[in-house]
DNA sequence: GTTGCGATTGTTATCGATATCATCGATGGT
DNA sequence: ACCATCGATGATATCGATAACAATCGCAAC
């Protein structure tokens, strides 16, 4: 910038002003300087500006990436969150610094203006750890009773209850829940499910399965039939589990939805073209990402923001 | 840091040295100062350090995120690339700055020490645009004849040829290729397929389908049967296409693999538990990410690096 | 006793931008 | 003719770290 100033015969500060379109400099000189800068291939040194402005225009997104059969951020749907976040942030001139929990010790995270926590890594212990950075922070997940931070999440409780209503409406009397209630989000689904059923005097059966796979869904049905438990409806907390369940049921000679009704979760693209087309609960991940981003930005700008819960929608199809 | 120095009764530079574990400071004072810094909750200002060191320890990863029915980086498998990149970079003290092509104008990208381009956005025009930033750059994709930049990609040509060999070995004489050869990567698969078959005097049929969906795969088979084209093998360039093809074939009374053999691509987790278990070409995305990261790091450190191609593996299952 | 060297610590300049306050000429009202 | 005001530009200090070089001390060698 000093070089530019010398060439143009003005002072550094005038260059700075011209390049940031400040109305303080004469319109003509401003344009002249901008042209010159462009012509000379001048590149702003972002680090210097960050230092001076004490802002990096960067938000760190911390995800859980550990590959496993458990649910990870590498699943496609949670990643749509990232898409939403990225879109909203860049629209506001911010960048996304992607980090895992392990990598979060890296220097760059400290330079961020704000923090977004994604994935089940965002349990209380992890949350507290990042809280200490003293940065504006927003968490994706199930809102706890008394968290000090802002939480955005889709309404898992409602997800559970709409499925319950759906079963009730179909006259089902012996519903089963398949999934891993250790995940706070899934725990909420279970709660919503149980409570809504209780209003009709029905108590569902819980089949705990930790993996979100087709095989796991099949296995759940096998054990159910083996134990000769009567059931006529299955709420699987992921689409893969649901598909596995349907396959196992068919193999064992039970019809879906004739004998058993099945509903999945996430409404993955495959759900609609599954045979039979799978009913599933859809959550708007993209919108979730947008919201997360808006809230951190608000916090960064010293505005207020509140926790928020996004509604879900039951896509009723053939099962 | 100045505050720390005052409190500790030493100079700033000693603090700086102590905190970076420099052997220049006495071991005891070093430890004393480190403890003090920790106790006072001192946080290094990364922007200042970046400015001084002229390094941000950050690599920008530019992906194509535009949601569409076309293939995007939001597909789960390409994202494993990101996982590999992230892991390798953080292991070396670098951070990942995630950006879309649109967002790449944002300031922070200019501060990056290097660039990784992912997704079909990395066509020549886009590549050239980022080349102008003058940063070390590595691209994921199919290596072109004469690119000036470093390319890492999986061996799509080999992917095509192993499938061809497989069909030949099974005695198939009328193979079909389903996919969108506009993607450079898929074009390579097609080339490998065609060439390997040509060695046996066989010329495959190309059914062009742009979407990577189940429906698209079904549709391809329908049109094939409608036109009464004889065929006994299908190479689909994605697993979803392959699954759609199998379903359509079964519905039309053709058995897989009895009448028609089908092979997919990517070996998604579902492939193995599909009915019948789907044969598919697997590429090691994780390793690809690791390589991409290693190469940028090499370039950043003024070492040399070369383009590289990763082998693929045909998982032979029931189809 | 002095010179020299190694181990520590300090002084000053620097990275590249921007905020604050100062400057300067022109304009205009009285 | 004089002072106030405004528009445009500049001088300097500053953000918080680190590099290069200087300084100090103790101790050993001659």
């Amino acid at each position: 910038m000093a070089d530019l100033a010398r060439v143009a015969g003005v002072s550094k500060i005038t260059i700075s002003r011209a390049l940031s379109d400040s109305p303080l400099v004469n319109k003509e000189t401003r344009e002249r300087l901008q042209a010159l800068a462009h012509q000379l291939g001048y590149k702003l040194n972002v680090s210097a500006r960050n230092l001076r402005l004490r802002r990096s225009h960067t938000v760190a997104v911390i995800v859980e990436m550990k590959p496993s059969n458990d649910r990870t951020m590498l699943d496609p749907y949670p990643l749509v969150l990232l898409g939403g976040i990225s879109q909203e942030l860049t629209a506001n001139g911010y960048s996304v610094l992607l980090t895992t929990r392990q990598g979060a010790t890296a220097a760059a995270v400290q330079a961020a203006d704000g923090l977004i926590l994604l994935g089940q890594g965002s349990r209380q212990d992890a949350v507290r750890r990042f809280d200490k950075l003293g940065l504006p922070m927003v968490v994706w997940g199930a809102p706890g009773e008394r968290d000090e931070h802002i939480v955005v999440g889709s309404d898992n409780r409602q997800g559970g209850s709409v499925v319950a209503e759906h079963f009730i409406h179909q006259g089902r009397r012996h519903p089963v829940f398949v999934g891993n209630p250790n995940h706070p989000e899934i725990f909420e689904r279970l709660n919503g499910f149980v409570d809504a059923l209780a209003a009709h005097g029905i108590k569902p059966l819980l089949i705990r399965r930790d993996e979100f796979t087709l095989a796991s869904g099949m296995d759940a049905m096998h054990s159910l039939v083996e134990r000769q438990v009567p059931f006529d409806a299955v709420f699987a907390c992921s689409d893969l589990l649901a598909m596995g369940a349907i396959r196992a049921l068919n193999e064992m000679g039970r019809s879906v939805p004739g004998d058993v009704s099945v509903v999945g979760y996430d409404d993955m693209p495959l759900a609609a073209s599954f045979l039979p087309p799978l009913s599933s609960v859809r959550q708007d991940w993209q919108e979730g990402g947008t919201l997360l981003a808006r809230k951190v930005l608000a916090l960064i700008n010293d505005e207020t923001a509140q926790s928020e819960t996004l509604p879900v929608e039951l896509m009723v199809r053939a099962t």
Side-chain angles (χ1 to χ4, degrees), chain A:
Chain A
M1 202 174 245
D3 296 351
L4 260 184
R6 208 173 315 116
V7 174
V10 296
S11 70
K12 290 193 302 177
I13 186 67
T14 302
I15 300 283
S16 171
R17 287 181 182 135
L19 295 186
S20 59
D21 257 338
S22 158
L24 280 175
V25 301
N26 184 299
K27 190 166 170 229
E28 283 149 30
T29 39
R30 201 194 314 165
E31 283 165 359
R32 178 170 67 91
L33 296 179
Q34 289 178 355
L36 186 70
H38 183 76
Q39 180 194 328
L40 264 58
Y42 165 78
K43 295 265 162 32
L44 180 79
N45 182 318
V46 181
S47 298
R49 167 200 268 172
N50 288 348
L51 172 57
R52 183 70 240 236
L53 297 184
R54 299 144 149 275
R55 280 227 174 166
S56 63
H57 285 269
T58 287
V59 170
V61 176
I62 297 169
V63 303
E64 185 54 57
M65 273 215 202
K66 155 176 59 77
S68 76
N69 277 327
D70 203 35
R71 182 157 237 240
T72 73
M73 285 314 292
L74 282 181
D75 283 336
Y77 314 104
L79 270 163
V80 176
L81 266 178
L82 237 191
I85 292 171
S86 165
Q87 198 174 315
E88 183 71 14
L89 286 182
T90 53
N92 288 77
Y94 275 72
S95 302
V96 178
L97 193 76
L98 188 67
T99 332
T100 62
R101 198 134 44 109
Q102 299 78 45
T105 45
V109 175
Q110 296 179 25
D113 295 336
L115 231 56
I116 296 180
L117 261 60
L118 299 185
Q120 77 270 42
S122 27
R123 299 246 187 75
Q124 289 313 62
D125 50 340
V127 173
R128 242 175 260 123
R129 179 182 143 203
F130 291 114
D131 229 0
K132 278 193 289 198
L133 288 179
L135 293 174
M137 182 169 82
V138 179
V139 179
W140 172 262
E145 291 98 47
R146 36 160 201 73
D147 5 55
E148 332 73 47
H149 49 271
I150 292 186
V151 179
V152 174
S154 85
D155 196 338
N156 287 287
R157 224 165 184 303
Q158 183 202 6
S161 67
V162 291
V163 174
E165 306 290 356
H166 175 65
F167 286 162
I168 295 287
H169 184 73
Q170 290 187 319
R172 310 283 170 173
R173 311 296 304 172
H174 304 288
V176 177
F177 181 96
V178 182
N180 177 359
N182 267 17
H183 287 73
E185 280 131 320
I186 290 171
F187 186 61
E188 283 301 305
R189 286 177 207 166
L190 176 58
N191 279 343
F193 191 57
V194 170
D195 291 356
L197 287 172
H200 295 81
I202 296 181
K203 196 166 174 309
L205 187 66
L206 166 65
I207 301 276
R208 199 194 139 125
R209 281 293 179 282
D210 292 353
E211 298 193 343
F212 293 77
T213 62
L214 217 116
S216 182
M218 295 183 67
D219 184 59
M221 294 304 104
H222 288 144
S223 90
L224 222 45
V225 170
E226 222 163 68
R227 288 189 282 153
Q228 304 195 316
V229 184
F231 68 100
D232 56 8
V234 174
F235 176 24
C237 70
S238 94
D239 283 344
L240 284 182
L241 281 173
M243 292 177 185
I246 292 173
R247 182 146 115 201
L249 289 170
N250 285 337
E251 285 174 4
M252 293 185 295
R254 313 230 177 170
S255 82
V256 173
D259 299 329
V260 182
S261 175
V262 177
V263 173
Y265 216 100
D266 283 344
D267 191 30
M268 54 188 276
L270 216 55
S273 37
F274 191 72
L275 266 186
L278 179 68
S279 303
S280 186
V281 178
R282 169 187 292 177
Q283 31 184 338
D284 192 343
W285 296 99
Q286 169 91 24
E287 174 68 10
T290 307
L291 265 179
L292 281 166
R294 287 220 190 102
K295 306 238 181 234
V296 227
L297 289 179
L299 291 180
I300 289 174
N301 296 321
D302 287 321
E303 299 161 14
T304 61
Q306 269 131 37
S307 291
E308 196 163 335
T309 299
L310 289 157
V312 299
E313 185 185 2
L314 173 61
M315 310 300 294
V316 180
R317 288 195 269 257
T319 65

